[in-house]
């Protein structure tokens, strides 16, 4: 069982949704293959997402350095795509109202992708273990967005970039 939270871009935290689902994987000498199915359980979008990933881990003999590149594909149902990448009439109306107070704010037209989408991604995670408890990590991922997403006038790139870094403590 897996779960994740999702915010709609540009919205307040009131638009927080929770996705729950299942993940299955297979580990071999050639790497790790896994598949994840997620369903919005809050009823906000009632959408689904299916993600398939392949990764391979490289490490030194003592596992002090760990490097894991990955590639994958993500399918989003029409409902999930509209929730994450669309612009609703309510959002458009709020932008128009906000624009009265501040004319520098953009006003996006209503946009609803009317089909499911397929996004492709590649990324990597790098972990450095300082000792048995402390580690530092960095991760990055670039996602090639489906044309049904990039047709949205509010999307000005063909890709989505995710970067992160942090420190962790293991008990």
């Amino acid at each position: 069982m897996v779960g994740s939270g999702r915010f709609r871009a540009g919205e307040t935290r009131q638009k927080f949704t929770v996705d729950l689902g299942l993940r299955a994987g297979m580990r071999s000498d050639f790497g790790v293959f896994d598949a994840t199915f997620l369903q919005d359980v809050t009823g906000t979008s009632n959408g689904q997402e299916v993600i398939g990933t392949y990764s391979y881990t490289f490490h030194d003999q003592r596992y002090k350095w760990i490097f894991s590149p990955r590639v994958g594909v993500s399918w989003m149902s029409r409902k999930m795509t509209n929730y994450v990448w669309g612009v609703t009439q309510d959002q458009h109306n709020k932008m128009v109202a906000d624009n009265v107070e501040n004319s520098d704010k953009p006003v996006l037209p209503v946009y609803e992708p009317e089909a499911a989408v397929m996004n492709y991604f590649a990324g990597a995670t790098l972990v450095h273990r300082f000792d048995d408890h402390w580690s530092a990590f960095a991760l990055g991922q670039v996602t090639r967005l489906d044309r049904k997403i990039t047709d949205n006038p509010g999307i000005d790139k063909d890709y989505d970039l995710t970067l992160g870094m942090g420190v962790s403590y293991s008990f």
Side-chain angles (χ1 to χ4, degrees):
M1 179 76 95
V2 295
S4 68
R6 191 183 306 256
F7 290 104
R8 178 183 268 173
E11 292 284 329
T12 65
R13 298 208 189 278
Q14 297 168 354
K15 295 292 182 177
F16 182 77
T17 67
V18 176
D19 299 335
L20 291 178
L22 298 172
R23 175 176 288 153
M26 181 182 81
R27 183 177 306 270
S28 74
D29 293 340
F30 303 107
V32 177
F33 297 89
D34 68 52
T36 304
F37 171 80
L38 295 170
Q39 168 71 46
D40 170 28
V41 294
T42 61
T44 305
S45 75
N46 289 318
Q48 302 84 30
E49 184 173 15
V50 178
I51 306 163
T53 306
Y54 167 75
S55 64
Y56 190 86
T57 300
F58 301 92
H59 56 82
D60 63 2
Q61 287 183 336
R62 298 179 315 166
Y63 285 84
K64 188 170 182 155
W65 288 96
I66 303 166
F67 177 67
S68 296
R70 68 187 165 280
V71 293
V73 61
S74 166
W75 173 88
M76 278 187 179
S77 69
R78 179 188 58 79
K79 290 179 179 181
M80 182 69 74
T81 302
N82 279 327
Y83 177 75
V84 175
W85 299 102
V87 178
T88 66
Q89 185 67 51
D90 289 343
Q91 290 172 313
H92 172 77
N93 293 343
K94 184 175 182 331
M95 287 182 240
V96 169
D98 289 348
N99 202 22
V100 171
E101 298 171 16
N102 182 355
S103 61
D104 292 339
K105 287 190 172 189
V107 176
L108 300 175
V110 173
Y111 180 76
E112 292 186 26
E114 290 301 325
V117 297
M118 190 82 75
N119 297 319
Y120 301 91
F121 59 87
T125 303
L126 177 65
V127 178
H128 175 66
R129 293 180 48 182
F130 298 107
D131 58 31
D132 288 342
H133 300 286
W134 288 99
S135 299
F137 64 90
L139 58 94
Q141 179 169 297
V142 64
T143 302
R144 175 73 165 100
L145 300 174
D146 190 287
R147 184 179 169 127
K148 294 173 202 90
I149 294 170
T150 60
D151 283 347
N152 180 336
I155 307 293
D156 61 354
K157 302 270 191 264
D158 292 339
Y159 60 89
D160 187 35
L161 184 63
T162 303
L163 299 171
M165 57 190 314
V167 176
S168 67
Y169 182 85
S170 300
F171 296 95

